[in-house]
Structure formats: C-alpha cells, structure tokens
Amino acid sequence: MSNLELFDDEWARREQLAPGAMLLRGFALPHEVELLAALPELIARAPFRHMPTPGGRRMSVAMSNCGRYGWVSDRQGYRYASAAPLSGQPWPAMPAVFRRLAVAAAASAGFPGFEPDACLINRYLPGARMGLHQDKDERDLAAPIVSVSLGLPAVFLFGGLRRGDRPARILLEHGDALVWGGPARLCYHGVAPVKKGQHPRLGEQRINLTFRKAR
Ligand code: SIN
Ligand code: FE2
C-alpha cells in the first residue's frame, strides 16, 4: 500500500477554524494501535519531565520529545536541543508512523512537503493545563504545526494573532489532528485544565504530540 492509501483522509471530518487552521477529527484513529505501541519505548528512553519555566515555575504538563530536536525549557528560556537536558542523551528517533501521520495531516490541511524534525510529547494528567502562547521558537515559520491528541479529551483554546483575542474553545478528542500554519501559524493557543476521566486505551491521561520543523 502506498502512503497515500494508508493515510486516506476522505472520511476524516474536517473543520476549518481560521484561514490556515484545520481540524481533522479522527485523522489518527486508523493508526492508534501503532501510535500507542510506539510510546512506551520512547518514554522509557526519554522519561516525561515537568520542566521549569524561565520564571522558575514547574509546568503542570510533563514533556518528552522524539526526533532530531526536542523542545526544552529552563531558567535560560525556551529552545530546541538535540539532547535531553538531564541525561545528555540524544532524543529517540521519530517513529516512522509518527512522521507519516504528521506529513499526511499537514498535506491534507494544505501544507504539502512538511518535514518535521521535532515531536514534542506532552502528557496531561487531570488538572494539567497549558497557558495561551505562540509557537515561535522554530526557525522556519513557513512550516505548520501539526498536533495529534490521544487519550482523555481536552478543551483547546485557539485564539488569534494578539494575546488579547478571545480564543475559541474546541474539544479535542482521541485521534483528532489539528494543523495550523500560514496565516494562522502564530495564533495564540493553549489547553484548559484537563478533566478527570478514564480513557479506554490510555487511562487517566491525555497525550498530545506536536510535530514541528524546528531548524
Ligand atoms: C502545545 O501547544 O504545545 C500543546 C498543545 C496541546 O497539548 O494540545
Ligand atoms: Fe504550542
């Protein structure tokens, strides 16, 4: 089977949130078994960690990365690094199924030729949240951000180009992919506190993968 067939997206429910921002509901579902199977080894090699913010607070979201670069935060600021800060080890390679999914989601949303070199793996336990921010640590803002949600649902806050723009509240569920790029690339976004619950496959957690072209 070709990648095109494997990632046929005709059945995915598409919703344009703004010019350049496309929600592909259920896009990852055909690949959930493979995606979930790849996670334990990634996390064993680069364990989840609550990174400190530049201001010295502890993030409620625990993070890991795979791919050539990983997003890290510490007292010096935010940046991409080719090794995990505590271990000094390179991040585990991005599994092929991750890469193919991200490339296909980007293409389906109007961004062909996406070449992710970083995948941030976020783990939200109930109560964890992410404040409104822009993704702007990437060198090449022509490439979109591709986000894949797994496990417990969460309300995603999708705002405008100004911090003060009132964000839309979008429920992201297991298997949903969200792509933002082009005129939406620098839209503010965040995640409301995740509610308690049990997901049949992932238990009491939400996992979000965001694929980026960091360099
Ligand atoms: C992020 O903005 O990096 C994560 C978004 C999410 O967890 O859905
Ligand atoms: Fe982000």
Side-chain angles (χ1 to χ4, degrees), residues 137-161:
D137 303 315
E138 300 73 30
R139 197 169 284 167
D140 176 11
L141 295 178
I145 302 287
V146 174
S147 143
V148 174
S149 292
L150 298 166
L152 288 180
V155 174
F156 190 76
L157 309 169
F158 192 74
L161 295 174

Side-chain angles (χ1 to χ4, degrees), residues 52-63:
T53 65
R57 296 182 26 208
R58 174 186 187 266
M59 293 190 185
S60 63
V61 178
M63 298 178 172

Side-chain angles (χ1 to χ4, degrees), residues 120 122 124 130 133 135 147 149 156 172 180 189 191 206 208 210 212:
L120 174 63
N122 288 326
Y124 298 72
M130 191 176 289
H133 66 279
D135 290 357
S147 143
S149 292
F156 190 76
L172 292 185
W180 65 96
H189 59 279
V191 178
R206 169 178 189 256
N208 177 263
T210 47
R212 299 103 185 274

Side-chain angles (χ1 to χ4, degrees), residues 7 9 24 27 100-111 146 148 177-179:
F7 290 91
D9 65 351
L24 304 166
F27 192 85
R100 291 200 310 260
L101 181 67
V103 169
S108 171
F111 301 97
V146 174
V148 174
L178 177 59
V179 180

Side-chain angles (χ1 to χ4, degrees), residues 5-204:
E5 286 166 300
L6 271 170
F7 290 91
D8 179 11
D9 65 351
E10 272 171 30
W11 56 276
R13 289 155 290 149
R14 312 164 66 85
E15 272 172 53
Q16 184 160 38
L17 303 182
M22 184 76 82
L23 175 55
L24 304 166
R25 291 201 186 271
F27 192 85
L29 285 180
H31 314 286
E32 69 168 335
V33 172
E34 276 178 282
L35 287 171
L36 296 182
L39 276 174
E41 194 190 325
L42 295 176
I43 299 312
R45 290 183 52 199
F48 283 124
R49 202 181 138 226
H50 294 272
M51 293 193 270
T53 65
R57 296 182 26 208
R58 174 186 187 266
M59 293 190 185
S60 63
V61 178
M63 298 178 172
S64 181
N65 289 276
C66 64
R68 201 170 152 86
Y69 301 106
W71 187 87
V72 299
S73 169
D74 59 22
R75 292 305 292 252
Q76 273 71 57
Y78 306 132
R79 66 190 170 280
Y80 284 92
S82 52
L86 295 185
S87 68
Q89 291 294 113
W91 303 105
M94 192 184 297
V97 61
F98 280 33
R99 171 184 303 279
R100 291 200 310 260
L101 181 67
V103 169
S108 171
F111 301 97
F114 180 48
E115 285 178 38
D117 57 10
C119 173
L120 174 63
I121 307 172
N122 288 326
R123 184 197 64 193
Y124 298 72
L125 299 183
R129 60 184 288 275
M130 191 176 289
L132 278 184
H133 66 279
Q134 293 170 299
D135 290 357
K136 58 178 183 191
D137 303 315
E138 300 73 30
R139 197 169 284 167
D140 176 11
L141 295 178
I145 302 287
V146 174
S147 143
V148 174
S149 292
L150 298 166
L152 288 180
V155 174
F156 190 76
L157 309 169
F158 192 74
L161 295 174
R162 287 167 310 184
R163 182 179 286 281
D165 294 338
R166 178 198 284 265
R169 297 171 65 86
I170 296 138
L171 189 69
L172 292 185
E173 294 177 297
H174 182 72
D176 290 349
L178 177 59
V179 180
W180 65 96
R185 179 61 178 74
L186 288 176
C187 283
Y188 279 86
H189 59 279
V191 178
V194 169
K195 296 209 173 93
K196 269 193 192 305
Q198 282 290 333
H199 186 271
R201 292 205 185 260
L202 273 162
E204 199 177 39

